[in-house]
PDB file of all heavy atoms in Angstrom:
ATOM      1  N   ILE A   1      25.747   3.569 -16.686  1.00 92.00           N
ATOM      2  CA  ILE A   1      25.242   2.389 -15.966  1.00 92.00           C
ATOM      3  C   ILE A   1      25.038   2.718 -14.497  1.00 92.00           C
ATOM      4  O   ILE A   1      24.010   2.359 -13.905  1.00 92.00           O
ATOM      5  CB  ILE A   1      26.190   1.191 -16.157  1.00 92.00           C
ATOM      6  CG1 ILE A   1      26.127   0.704 -17.605  1.00 92.00           C
ATOM      7  CG2 ILE A   1      25.840   0.055 -15.201  1.00 92.00           C
ATOM      8  CD1 ILE A   1      27.176  -0.329 -17.952  1.00 92.00           C
ATOM      9  N   ARG A   2      26.001   3.418 -13.894  1.00 91.00           N
ATOM     10  CA  ARG A   2      25.859   3.779 -12.473  1.00 91.00           C
ATOM     11  C   ARG A   2      24.651   4.701 -12.263  1.00 91.00           C
ATOM     12  O   ARG A   2      23.904   4.547 -11.305  1.00 91.00           O
ATOM     13  CB  ARG A   2      27.132   4.489 -11.971  1.00 91.00           C
ATOM     14  CG  ARG A   2      28.361   3.659 -11.883  1.00 91.00           C
ATOM     15  CD  ARG A   2      28.322   2.797 -10.709  1.00 91.00           C
ATOM     16  NE  ARG A   2      28.235   3.595  -9.500  1.00 91.00           N
ATOM     17  CZ  ARG A   2      28.660   3.212  -8.335  1.00 91.00           C
ATOM     18  NH1 ARG A   2      29.215   2.045  -8.208  1.00 91.00           N
ATOM     19  NH2 ARG A   2      28.516   3.966  -7.277  1.00 91.00           N
ATOM     20  N   THR A   3      24.451   5.632 -13.178  1.00 93.00           N
ATOM     21  CA  THR A   3      23.310   6.543 -13.073  1.00 93.00           C
ATOM     22  C   THR A   3      22.002   5.782 -13.210  1.00 93.00           C
ATOM     23  O   THR A   3      21.056   6.001 -12.437  1.00 93.00           O
ATOM     24  CB  THR A   3      23.402   7.629 -14.163  1.00 93.00           C
ATOM     25  OG1 THR A   3      24.650   8.300 -14.039  1.00 93.00           O
ATOM     26  CG2 THR A   3      22.266   8.621 -14.029  1.00 93.00           C
ATOM     27  N   THR A   4      21.951   4.857 -14.155  1.00 95.00           N
ATOM     28  CA  THR A   4      20.746   4.050 -14.353  1.00 95.00           C
ATOM     29  C   THR A   4      20.469   3.199 -13.118  1.00 95.00           C
ATOM     30  O   THR A   4      19.322   3.093 -12.665  1.00 95.00           O
ATOM     31  CB  THR A   4      20.913   3.156 -15.595  1.00 95.00           C
ATOM     32  OG1 THR A   4      21.166   3.972 -16.720  1.00 95.00           O
ATOM     33  CG2 THR A   4      19.663   2.328 -15.834  1.00 95.00           C
ATOM     34  N   LEU A   5      21.516   2.601 -12.576  1.00 95.00           N
ATOM     35  CA  LEU A   5      21.337   1.789 -11.360  1.00 95.00           C
ATOM     36  C   LEU A   5      20.855   2.633 -10.185  1.00 95.00           C
ATOM     37  O   LEU A   5      20.033   2.178  -9.379  1.00 95.00           O
ATOM     38  CB  LEU A   5      22.646   1.077 -11.000  1.00 95.00           C
ATOM     39  CG  LEU A   5      23.027  -0.100 -11.885  1.00 95.00           C
ATOM     40  CD1 LEU A   5      24.410  -0.622 -11.499  1.00 95.00           C
ATOM     41  CD2 LEU A   5      22.007  -1.206 -11.775  1.00 95.00           C
ATOM     42  N   GLU A   6      21.351   3.849 -10.095  1.00 95.00           N
ATOM     43  CA  GLU A   6      20.900   4.729  -9.013  1.00 95.00           C
ATOM     44  C   GLU A   6      19.419   5.088  -9.182  1.00 95.00           C
ATOM     45  O   GLU A   6      18.669   5.121  -8.211  1.00 95.00           O
ATOM     46  CB  GLU A   6      21.766   5.992  -8.980  1.00 95.00           C
ATOM     47  CG  GLU A   6      21.539   6.833  -7.753  1.00 95.00           C
ATOM     48  CD  GLU A   6      21.839   6.101  -6.449  1.00 95.00           C
ATOM     49  OE1 GLU A   6      22.790   5.300  -6.403  1.00 95.00           O
ATOM     50  OE2 GLU A   6      21.090   6.326  -5.475  1.00 95.00           O
ATOM     51  N   HIS A   7      18.990   5.334 -10.413  1.00 96.00           N
ATOM     52  CA  HIS A   7      17.568   5.601 -10.675  1.00 96.00           C
ATOM     53  C   HIS A   7      16.720   4.378 -10.314  1.00 96.00           C
ATOM     54  O   HIS A   7      15.649   4.510  -9.710  1.00 96.00           O
ATOM     55  CB  HIS A   7      17.340   5.958 -12.144  1.00 96.00           C
ATOM     56  CG  HIS A   7      17.847   7.302 -12.531  1.00 96.00           C
ATOM     57  ND1 HIS A   7      17.440   8.467 -11.931  1.00 96.00           N
ATOM     58  CD2 HIS A   7      18.752   7.682 -13.476  1.00 96.00           C
ATOM     59  CE1 HIS A   7      18.053   9.493 -12.472  1.00 96.00           C
ATOM     60  NE2 HIS A   7      18.864   9.047 -13.418  1.00 96.00           N
ATOM     61  N   ILE A   8      17.202   3.218 -10.671  1.00 96.00           N
ATOM     62  CA  ILE A   8      16.475   1.984 -10.344  1.00 96.00           C
ATOM     63  C   ILE A   8      16.394   1.809  -8.838  1.00 96.00           C
ATOM     64  O   ILE A   8      15.337   1.456  -8.301  1.00 96.00           O
ATOM     65  CB  ILE A   8      17.141   0.769 -11.016  1.00 96.00           C
ATOM     66  CG1 ILE A   8      16.947   0.842 -12.536  1.00 96.00           C
ATOM     67  CG2 ILE A   8      16.579  -0.534 -10.472  1.00 96.00           C
ATOM     68  CD1 ILE A   8      17.747  -0.184 -13.308  1.00 96.00           C
ATOM     69  N   ARG A   9      17.491   2.078  -8.132  1.00 96.00           N
ATOM     70  CA  ARG A   9      17.493   1.962  -6.671  1.00 96.00           C
ATOM     71  C   ARG A   9      16.476   2.914  -6.050  1.00 96.00           C
ATOM     72  O   ARG A   9      15.743   2.546  -5.122  1.00 96.00           O
ATOM     73  CB  ARG A   9      18.891   2.271  -6.134  1.00 96.00           C
ATOM     74  CG  ARG A   9      19.544   1.098  -5.514  1.00 96.00           C
ATOM     75  CD  ARG A   9      20.874   1.465  -4.860  1.00 96.00           C
ATOM     76  NE  ARG A   9      21.896   0.667  -5.523  1.00 96.00           N
ATOM     77  CZ  ARG A   9      22.870   1.145  -6.288  1.00 96.00           C
ATOM     78  NH1 ARG A   9      22.994   2.431  -6.470  1.00 96.00           N
ATOM     79  NH2 ARG A   9      23.726   0.345  -6.842  1.00 96.00           N
ATOM     80  N   THR A  10      16.424   4.135  -6.566  1.00 95.00           N
ATOM     81  CA  THR A  10      15.484   5.123  -6.054  1.00 95.00           C
ATOM     82  C   THR A  10      14.042   4.665  -6.280  1.00 95.00           C
ATOM     83  O   THR A  10      13.197   4.770  -5.385  1.00 95.00           O
ATOM     84  CB  THR A  10      15.719   6.477  -6.749  1.00 95.00           C
ATOM     85  OG1 THR A  10      17.073   6.868  -6.542  1.00 95.00           O
ATOM     86  CG2 THR A  10      14.789   7.533  -6.214  1.00 95.00           C
ATOM     87  N   LYS A  11      13.767   4.143  -7.468  1.00 96.00           N
ATOM     88  CA  LYS A  11      12.414   3.656  -7.756  1.00 96.00           C
ATOM     89  C   LYS A  11      12.065   2.458  -6.887  1.00 96.00           C
ATOM     90  O   LYS A  11      10.923   2.327  -6.426  1.00 96.00           O
ATOM     91  CB  LYS A  11      12.285   3.316  -9.235  1.00 96.00           C
ATOM     92  CG  LYS A  11      12.292   4.538 -10.114  1.00 96.00           C
ATOM     93  CD  LYS A  11      12.187   4.197 -11.578  1.00 96.00           C
ATOM     94  CE  LYS A  11      12.228   5.464 -12.414  1.00 96.00           C
ATOM     95  NZ  LYS A  11      12.139   5.188 -13.841  1.00 96.00           N
ATOM     96  N   LEU A  12      13.025   1.564  -6.663  1.00 96.00           N
ATOM     97  CA  LEU A  12      12.768   0.405  -5.801  1.00 96.00           C
ATOM     98  C   LEU A  12      12.464   0.836  -4.368  1.00 96.00           C
ATOM     99  O   LEU A  12      11.605   0.252  -3.714  1.00 96.00           O
ATOM    100  CB  LEU A  12      13.965  -0.547  -5.819  1.00 96.00           C
ATOM    101  CG  LEU A  12      14.065  -1.459  -7.027  1.00 96.00           C
ATOM    102  CD1 LEU A  12      15.365  -2.265  -6.974  1.00 96.00           C
ATOM    103  CD2 LEU A  12      12.887  -2.393  -7.108  1.00 96.00           C
ATOM    104  N   GLU A  13      13.151   1.845  -3.879  1.00 95.00           N
ATOM    105  CA  GLU A  13      12.877   2.343  -2.531  1.00 95.00           C
ATOM    106  C   GLU A  13      11.461   2.908  -2.448  1.00 95.00           C
ATOM    107  O   GLU A  13      10.751   2.696  -1.457  1.00 95.00           O
ATOM    108  CB  GLU A  13      13.906   3.401  -2.138  1.00 95.00           C
ATOM    109  CG  GLU A  13      15.281   2.831  -1.862  1.00 95.00           C
ATOM    110  CD  GLU A  13      16.325   3.915  -1.642  1.00 95.00           C
ATOM    111  OE1 GLU A  13      15.993   5.118  -1.739  1.00 95.00           O
ATOM    112  OE2 GLU A  13      17.478   3.549  -1.380  1.00 95.00           O
ATOM    113  N   ALA A  14      11.043   3.603  -3.497  1.00 94.00           N
ATOM    114  CA  ALA A  14       9.682   4.146  -3.518  1.00 94.00           C
ATOM    115  C   ALA A  14       8.654   3.023  -3.542  1.00 94.00           C
ATOM    116  O   ALA A  14       7.633   3.076  -2.845  1.00 94.00           O
ATOM    117  CB  ALA A  14       9.505   5.064  -4.727  1.00 94.00           C
ATOM    118  N   VAL A  15       8.939   1.976  -4.309  1.00 94.00           N
ATOM    119  CA  VAL A  15       8.027   0.830  -4.363  1.00 94.00           C
ATOM    120  C   VAL A  15       7.992   0.124  -3.013  1.00 94.00           C
ATOM    121  O   VAL A  15       6.915  -0.265  -2.534  1.00 94.00           O
ATOM    122  CB  VAL A  15       8.446  -0.143  -5.491  1.00 94.00           C
ATOM    123  CG1 VAL A  15       7.708  -1.456  -5.382  1.00 94.00           C
ATOM    124  CG2 VAL A  15       8.216   0.481  -6.848  1.00 94.00           C
ATOM    125  N   GLU A  16       9.134  -0.038  -2.377  1.00 94.00           N
ATOM    126  CA  GLU A  16       9.180  -0.674  -1.054  1.00 94.00           C
ATOM    127  C   GLU A  16       8.379   0.130  -0.039  1.00 94.00           C
ATOM    128  O   GLU A  16       7.663  -0.441   0.793  1.00 94.00           O
ATOM    129  CB  GLU A  16      10.625  -0.825  -0.593  1.00 94.00           C
ATOM    130  CG  GLU A  16      11.386  -1.912  -1.313  1.00 94.00           C
ATOM    131  CD  GLU A  16      12.864  -1.955  -0.924  1.00 94.00           C
ATOM    132  OE1 GLU A  16      13.345  -1.000  -0.269  1.00 94.00           O
ATOM    133  OE2 GLU A  16      13.517  -2.931  -1.297  1.00 94.00           O
ATOM    134  N   ASP A  17       8.488   1.442  -0.081  1.00 92.00           N
ATOM    135  CA  ASP A  17       7.709   2.288   0.835  1.00 92.00           C
ATOM    136  C   ASP A  17       6.217   2.126   0.590  1.00 92.00           C
ATOM    137  O   ASP A  17       5.418   2.045   1.531  1.00 92.00           O
ATOM    138  CB  ASP A  17       8.104   3.758   0.678  1.00 92.00           C
ATOM    139  CG  ASP A  17       9.507   4.037   1.185  1.00 92.00           C
ATOM    140  OD1 ASP A  17      10.041   3.212   1.944  1.00 92.00           O
ATOM    141  OD2 ASP A  17      10.072   5.091   0.801  1.00 92.00           O
ATOM    142  N   THR A  18       5.836   2.060  -0.678  1.00 91.00           N
ATOM    143  CA  THR A  18       4.420   1.898  -1.025  1.00 91.00           C
ATOM    144  C   THR A  18       3.904   0.548  -0.547  1.00 91.00           C
ATOM    145  O   THR A  18       2.820   0.446   0.030  1.00 91.00           O
ATOM    146  CB  THR A  18       4.222   2.027  -2.542  1.00 91.00           C
ATOM    147  OG1 THR A  18       4.695   3.305  -2.958  1.00 91.00           O
ATOM    148  CG2 THR A  18       2.765   1.887  -2.913  1.00 91.00           C
ATOM    149  N   VAL A  19       4.688  -0.496  -0.779  1.00 91.00           N
ATOM    150  CA  VAL A  19       4.278  -1.847  -0.374  1.00 91.00           C
ATOM    151  C   VAL A  19       4.202  -1.947   1.147  1.00 91.00           C
ATOM    152  O   VAL A  19       3.330  -2.630   1.686  1.00 91.00           O
ATOM    153  CB  VAL A  19       5.246  -2.900  -0.962  1.00 91.00           C
ATOM    154  CG1 VAL A  19       5.027  -4.267  -0.356  1.00 91.00           C
ATOM    155  CG2 VAL A  19       5.098  -2.968  -2.473  1.00 91.00           C
ATOM    156  N   ALA A  20       5.059  -1.229   1.850  1.00 91.00           N
ATOM    157  CA  ALA A  20       5.031  -1.263   3.313  1.00 91.00           C
ATOM    158  C   ALA A  20       3.752  -0.652   3.864  1.00 91.00           C
ATOM    159  O   ALA A  20       3.288  -1.032   4.935  1.00 91.00           O
ATOM    160  CB  ALA A  20       6.250  -0.537   3.874  1.00 91.00           C
ATOM    161  N   THR A  21       3.157   0.288   3.141  1.00 90.00           N
ATOM    162  CA  THR A  21       1.934   0.931   3.632  1.00 90.00           C
ATOM    163  C   THR A  21       0.679   0.150   3.251  1.00 90.00           C
ATOM    164  O   THR A  21      -0.401   0.481   3.734  1.00 90.00           O
ATOM    165  CB  THR A  21       1.806   2.362   3.079  1.00 90.00           C
ATOM    166  OG1 THR A  21       1.739   2.304   1.659  1.00 90.00           O
ATOM    167  CG2 THR A  21       2.972   3.225   3.511  1.00 90.00           C
ATOM    168  N   LEU A  22       0.799  -0.869   2.425  1.00 90.00           N
ATOM    169  CA  LEU A  22      -0.386  -1.605   1.980  1.00 90.00           C
ATOM    170  C   LEU A  22      -1.085  -2.395   3.100  1.00 90.00           C
ATOM    171  O   LEU A  22      -2.305  -2.322   3.200  1.00 90.00           O
ATOM    172  CB  LEU A  22      -0.033  -2.532   0.817  1.00 90.00           C
ATOM    173  CG  LEU A  22       0.206  -1.839  -0.517  1.00 90.00           C
ATOM    174  CD1 LEU A  22       0.589  -2.865  -1.572  1.00 90.00           C
ATOM    175  CD2 LEU A  22      -0.991  -1.053  -0.955  1.00 90.00           C
ATOM    176  N   PRO A  23      -0.398  -3.173   3.932  1.00 91.00           N
ATOM    177  CA  PRO A  23      -1.124  -3.943   4.952  1.00 91.00           C
ATOM    178  C   PRO A  23      -1.958  -3.091   5.908  1.00 91.00           C
ATOM    179  O   PRO A  23      -3.118  -3.415   6.148  1.00 91.00           O
ATOM    180  CB  PRO A  23      -0.013  -4.708   5.683  1.00 91.00           C
ATOM    181  CG  PRO A  23       1.065  -4.857   4.668  1.00 91.00           C
ATOM    182  CD  PRO A  23       1.017  -3.578   3.872  1.00 91.00           C
ATOM    183  N   PRO A  24      -1.429  -1.986   6.454  1.00 91.00           N
ATOM    184  CA  PRO A  24      -2.306  -1.168   7.311  1.00 91.00           C
ATOM    185  C   PRO A  24      -3.493  -0.591   6.548  1.00 91.00           C
ATOM    186  O   PRO A  24      -4.605  -0.540   7.076  1.00 91.00           O
ATOM    187  CB  PRO A  24      -1.383  -0.043   7.813  1.00 91.00           C
ATOM    188  CG  PRO A  24      -0.006  -0.547   7.637  1.00 91.00           C
ATOM    189  CD  PRO A  24      -0.044  -1.484   6.482  1.00 91.00           C
ATOM    190  N   ALA A  25      -3.276  -0.180   5.317  1.00 90.00           N
ATOM    191  CA  ALA A  25      -4.377   0.365   4.520  1.00 90.00           C
ATOM    192  C   ALA A  25      -5.409  -0.714   4.239  1.00 90.00           C
ATOM    193  O   ALA A  25      -6.612  -0.453   4.246  1.00 90.00           O
ATOM    194  CB  ALA A  25      -3.839   0.949   3.215  1.00 90.00           C
ATOM    195  N   LEU A  26      -4.967  -1.929   4.007  1.00 92.00           N
ATOM    196  CA  LEU A  26      -5.888  -3.036   3.764  1.00 92.00           C
ATOM    197  C   LEU A  26      -6.705  -3.351   5.009  1.00 92.00           C
ATOM    198  O   LEU A  26      -7.913  -3.589   4.920  1.00 92.00           O
ATOM    199  CB  LEU A  26      -5.107  -4.271   3.312  1.00 92.00           C
ATOM    200  CG  LEU A  26      -5.922  -5.496   2.946  1.00 92.00           C
ATOM    201  CD1 LEU A  26      -6.866  -5.191   1.796  1.00 92.00           C
ATOM    202  CD2 LEU A  26      -5.010  -6.654   2.582  1.00 92.00           C
ATOM    203  N   ARG A  27      -6.068  -3.305   6.173  1.00 93.00           N
ATOM    204  CA  ARG A  27      -6.815  -3.531   7.422  1.00 93.00           C
ATOM    205  C   ARG A  27      -7.872  -2.451   7.624  1.00 93.00           C
ATOM    206  O   ARG A  27      -9.006  -2.744   8.011  1.00 93.00           O
ATOM    207  CB  ARG A  27      -5.853  -3.572   8.608  1.00 93.00           C
ATOM    208  CG  ARG A  27      -5.135  -4.886   8.777  1.00 93.00           C
ATOM    209  CD  ARG A  27      -4.447  -4.968  10.130  1.00 93.00           C
ATOM    210  NE  ARG A  27      -3.363  -4.006  10.257  1.00 93.00           N
ATOM    211  CZ  ARG A  27      -2.111  -4.212   9.880  1.00 93.00           C
ATOM    212  NH1 ARG A  27      -1.775  -5.363   9.326  1.00 93.00           N
ATOM    213  NH2 ARG A  27      -1.185  -3.291  10.047  1.00 93.00           N
ATOM    214  N   GLU A  28      -7.505  -1.200   7.356  1.00 94.00           N
ATOM    215  CA  GLU A  28      -8.474  -0.112   7.490  1.00 94.00           C
ATOM    216  C   GLU A  28      -9.621  -0.269   6.499  1.00 94.00           C
ATOM    217  O   GLU A  28     -10.778  -0.030   6.845  1.00 94.00           O
ATOM    218  CB  GLU A  28      -7.777   1.233   7.258  1.00 94.00           C
ATOM    219  CG  GLU A  28      -6.824   1.629   8.355  1.00 94.00           C
ATOM    220  CD  GLU A  28      -6.091   2.923   8.042  1.00 94.00           C
ATOM    221  OE1 GLU A  28      -6.536   3.663   7.143  1.00 94.00           O
ATOM    222  OE2 GLU A  28      -5.079   3.187   8.701  1.00 94.00           O
ATOM    223  N   LEU A  29      -9.303  -0.697   5.291  1.00 94.00           N
ATOM    224  CA  LEU A  29     -10.334  -0.900   4.277  1.00 94.00           C
ATOM    225  C   LEU A  29     -11.284  -2.016   4.692  1.00 94.00           C
ATOM    226  O   LEU A  29     -12.500  -1.886   4.575  1.00 94.00           O
ATOM    227  CB  LEU A  29      -9.686  -1.224   2.932  1.00 94.00           C
ATOM    228  CG  LEU A  29     -10.626  -1.428   1.757  1.00 94.00           C
ATOM    229  CD1 LEU A  29     -11.413  -0.150   1.469  1.00 94.00           C
ATOM    230  CD2 LEU A  29      -9.843  -1.855   0.527  1.00 94.00           C
ATOM    231  N   ARG A  30     -10.730  -3.115   5.197  1.00 96.00           N
ATOM    232  CA  ARG A  30     -11.575  -4.226   5.652  1.00 96.00           C
ATOM    233  C   ARG A  30     -12.464  -3.808   6.812  1.00 96.00           C
ATOM    234  O   ARG A  30     -13.633  -4.197   6.888  1.00 96.00           O
ATOM    235  CB  ARG A  30     -10.707  -5.417   6.039  1.00 96.00           C
ATOM    236  CG  ARG A  30     -10.139  -6.133   4.847  1.00 96.00           C
ATOM    237  CD  ARG A  30      -9.352  -7.344   5.256  1.00 96.00           C
ATOM    238  NE  ARG A  30      -8.858  -8.033   4.080  1.00 96.00           N
ATOM    239  CZ  ARG A  30      -7.898  -8.926   4.090  1.00 96.00           C
ATOM    240  NH1 ARG A  30      -7.312  -9.247   5.233  1.00 96.00           N
ATOM    241  NH2 ARG A  30      -7.499  -9.510   2.990  1.00 96.00           N
ATOM    242  N   ALA A  31     -11.920  -3.013   7.736  1.00 96.00           N
ATOM    243  CA  ALA A  31     -12.724  -2.528   8.866  1.00 96.00           C
ATOM    244  C   ALA A  31     -13.852  -1.629   8.364  1.00 96.00           C
ATOM    245  O   ALA A  31     -14.987  -1.717   8.837  1.00 96.00           O
ATOM    246  CB  ALA A  31     -11.841  -1.782   9.858  1.00 96.00           C
ATOM    247  N   GLY A  32     -13.544  -0.782   7.395  1.00 95.00           N
ATOM    248  CA  GLY A  32     -14.572   0.086   6.822  1.00 95.00           C
ATOM    249  C   GLY A  32     -15.651  -0.701   6.106  1.00 95.00           C
ATOM    250  O   GLY A  32     -16.838  -0.377   6.209  1.00 95.00           O
ATOM    251  N   ILE A  33     -15.245  -1.738   5.395  1.00 96.00           N
ATOM    252  CA  ILE A  33     -16.220  -2.587   4.700  1.00 96.00           C
ATOM    253  C   ILE A  33     -17.125  -3.285   5.706  1.00 96.00           C
ATOM    254  O   ILE A  33     -18.346  -3.347   5.526  1.00 96.00           O
ATOM    255  CB  ILE A  33     -15.492  -3.612   3.798  1.00 96.00           C
ATOM    256  CG1 ILE A  33     -14.880  -2.903   2.601  1.00 96.00           C
ATOM    257  CG2 ILE A  33     -16.442  -4.705   3.333  1.00 96.00           C
ATOM    258  CD1 ILE A  33     -13.954  -3.784   1.780  1.00 96.00           C
ATOM    259  N   GLU A  34     -16.542  -3.806   6.774  1.00 96.00           N
ATOM    260  CA  GLU A  34     -17.348  -4.485   7.795  1.00 96.00           C
ATOM    261  C   GLU A  34     -18.317  -3.507   8.464  1.00 96.00           C
ATOM    262  O   GLU A  34     -19.467  -3.854   8.732  1.00 96.00           O
ATOM    263  CB  GLU A  34     -16.435  -5.134   8.836  1.00 96.00           C
ATOM    264  CG  GLU A  34     -17.151  -6.032   9.792  1.00 96.00           C
ATOM    265  CD  GLU A  34     -17.858  -7.200   9.108  1.00 96.00           C
ATOM    266  OE1 GLU A  34     -17.347  -7.704   8.082  1.00 96.00           O
ATOM    267  OE2 GLU A  34     -18.923  -7.600   9.597  1.00 96.00           O
ATOM    268  N   GLN A  35     -17.846  -2.284   8.713  1.00 97.00           N
ATOM    269  CA  GLN A  35     -18.710  -1.253   9.300  1.00 97.00           C
ATOM    270  C   GLN A  35     -19.881  -0.956   8.364  1.00 97.00           C
ATOM    271  O   GLN A  35     -21.030  -0.866   8.805  1.00 97.00           O
ATOM    272  CB  GLN A  35     -17.906   0.018   9.560  1.00 97.00           C
ATOM    273  CG  GLN A  35     -18.709   1.165  10.113  1.00 97.00           C
ATOM    274  CD  GLN A  35     -19.103   0.955  11.545  1.00 97.00           C
ATOM    275  OE1 GLN A  35     -18.427   0.257  12.280  1.00 97.00           O
ATOM    276  NE2 GLN A  35     -20.200   1.543  11.950  1.00 97.00           N
ATOM    277  N   ASN A  36     -19.599  -0.827   7.077  1.00 97.00           N
ATOM    278  CA  ASN A  36     -20.664  -0.562   6.104  1.00 97.00           C
ATOM    279  C   ASN A  36     -21.660  -1.712   6.039  1.00 97.00           C
ATOM    280  O   ASN A  36     -22.863  -1.487   5.930  1.00 97.00           O
ATOM    281  CB  ASN A  36     -20.074  -0.305   4.718  1.00 97.00           C
ATOM    282  CG  ASN A  36     -19.403   1.039   4.609  1.00 97.00           C
ATOM    283  OD1 ASN A  36     -19.597   1.903   5.459  1.00 97.00           O
ATOM    284  ND2 ASN A  36     -18.606   1.229   3.585  1.00 97.00           N
ATOM    285  N   ARG A  37     -21.165  -2.945   6.101  1.00 97.00           N
ATOM    286  CA  ARG A  37     -22.066  -4.102   6.082  1.00 97.00           C
ATOM    287  C   ARG A  37     -22.993  -4.091   7.293  1.00 97.00           C
ATOM    288  O   ARG A  37     -24.185  -4.395   7.170  1.00 97.00           O
ATOM    289  CB  ARG A  37     -21.257  -5.395   6.045  1.00 97.00           C
ATOM    290  CG  ARG A  37     -20.650  -5.682   4.705  1.00 97.00           C
ATOM    291  CD  ARG A  37     -19.884  -6.984   4.709  1.00 97.00           C
ATOM    292  NE  ARG A  37     -19.310  -7.246   3.401  1.00 97.00           N
ATOM    293  CZ  ARG A  37     -18.368  -8.108   3.165  1.00 97.00           C
ATOM    294  NH1 ARG A  37     -17.864  -8.829   4.154  1.00 97.00           N
ATOM    295  NH2 ARG A  37     -17.902  -8.280   1.955  1.00 97.00           N
ATOM    296  N   CYS A  38     -22.441  -3.754   8.451  1.00 96.00           N
ATOM    297  CA  CYS A  38     -23.268  -3.691   9.665  1.00 96.00           C
ATOM    298  C   CYS A  38     -24.331  -2.595   9.538  1.00 96.00           C
ATOM    299  O   CYS A  38     -25.488  -2.794   9.918  1.00 96.00           O
ATOM    300  CB  CYS A  38     -22.398  -3.437  10.889  1.00 96.00           C
ATOM    301  SG  CYS A  38     -21.349  -4.829  11.355  1.00 96.00           S
ATOM    302  N   GLU A  39     -23.927  -1.450   9.004  1.00 97.00           N
ATOM    303  CA  GLU A  39     -24.879  -0.348   8.854  1.00 97.00           C
ATOM    304  C   GLU A  39     -25.960  -0.687   7.835  1.00 97.00           C
ATOM    305  O   GLU A  39     -27.129  -0.363   8.043  1.00 97.00           O
ATOM    306  CB  GLU A  39     -24.139   0.924   8.448  1.00 97.00           C
ATOM    307  CG  GLU A  39     -23.282   1.496   9.562  1.00 97.00           C
ATOM    308  CD  GLU A  39     -22.456   2.687   9.134  1.00 97.00           C
ATOM    309  OE1 GLU A  39     -22.570   3.117   7.966  1.00 97.00           O
ATOM    310  OE2 GLU A  39     -21.695   3.195   9.968  1.00 97.00           O
ATOM    311  N   ILE A  40     -25.600  -1.351   6.758  1.00 97.00           N
ATOM    312  CA  ILE A  40     -26.590  -1.761   5.763  1.00 97.00           C
ATOM    313  C   ILE A  40     -27.549  -2.778   6.355  1.00 97.00           C
ATOM    314  O   ILE A  40     -28.762  -2.716   6.131  1.00 97.00           O
ATOM    315  CB  ILE A  40     -25.891  -2.314   4.501  1.00 97.00           C
ATOM    316  CG1 ILE A  40     -25.225  -1.178   3.741  1.00 97.00           C
ATOM    317  CG2 ILE A  40     -26.866  -3.048   3.597  1.00 97.00           C
ATOM    318  CD1 ILE A  40     -24.309  -1.642   2.615  1.00 97.00           C
ATOM    319  N   SER A  41     -27.024  -3.710   7.133  1.00 96.00           N
ATOM    320  CA  SER A  41     -27.875  -4.708   7.774  1.00 96.00           C
ATOM    321  C   SER A  41     -28.860  -4.045   8.739  1.00 96.00           C
ATOM    322  O   SER A  41     -30.044  -4.394   8.770  1.00 96.00           O
ATOM    323  CB  SER A  41     -27.006  -5.721   8.507  1.00 96.00           C
ATOM    324  OG  SER A  41     -27.782  -6.655   9.189  1.00 96.00           O
ATOM    325  N   ALA A  42     -28.373  -3.084   9.514  1.00 96.00           N
ATOM    326  CA  ALA A  42     -29.254  -2.369  10.445  1.00 96.00           C
ATOM    327  C   ALA A  42     -30.310  -1.577   9.686  1.00 96.00           C
ATOM    328  O   ALA A  42     -31.475  -1.536  10.091  1.00 96.00           O
ATOM    329  CB  ALA A  42     -28.421  -1.436  11.330  1.00 96.00           C
ATOM    330  N   LEU A  43     -29.918  -0.976   8.589  1.00 97.00           N
ATOM    331  CA  LEU A  43     -30.878  -0.218   7.786  1.00 97.00           C
ATOM    332  C   LEU A  43     -31.948  -1.129   7.193  1.00 97.00           C
ATOM    333  O   LEU A  43     -33.137  -0.778   7.202  1.00 97.00           O
ATOM    334  CB  LEU A  43     -30.136   0.524   6.670  1.00 97.00           C
ATOM    335  CG  LEU A  43     -30.949   1.453   5.808  1.00 97.00           C
ATOM    336  CD1 LEU A  43     -31.536   2.587   6.637  1.00 97.00           C
ATOM    337  CD2 LEU A  43     -30.093   2.005   4.688  1.00 97.00           C
TER     338      LEU A  43
END
């Protein structure tokens, strides 16, 4: 049980790290989308 809980804790930490990186990545994606829209409009 302790080993299983430790594995779960490790996986949760990895998920937390991944979720923490999502908002900055989403902002960058939105900025890229807006840039592409502007370039398409200019074209």
Side-chain angles (χ1 to χ4, degrees):
I1 291 171
R2 292 283 300 206
T3 304
T4 302
L5 286 174
E6 190 60 37
H7 288 302
I8 291 171
R9 246 186 240 114
T10 303
K11 290 179 181 180
L12 281 175
E13 288 173 358
V15 168
E16 286 175 348
D17 291 342
T18 301
V19 169
T21 61
L22 286 178
L26 183 60
R27 280 193 294 273
E28 290 176 16
L29 182 62
R30 286 183 178 163
I33 289 170
E34 189 60 33
Q35 178 73 27
N36 287 345
R37 285 181 180 164
C38 290
E39 290 175 2
I40 289 170
S41 177
L43 185 63

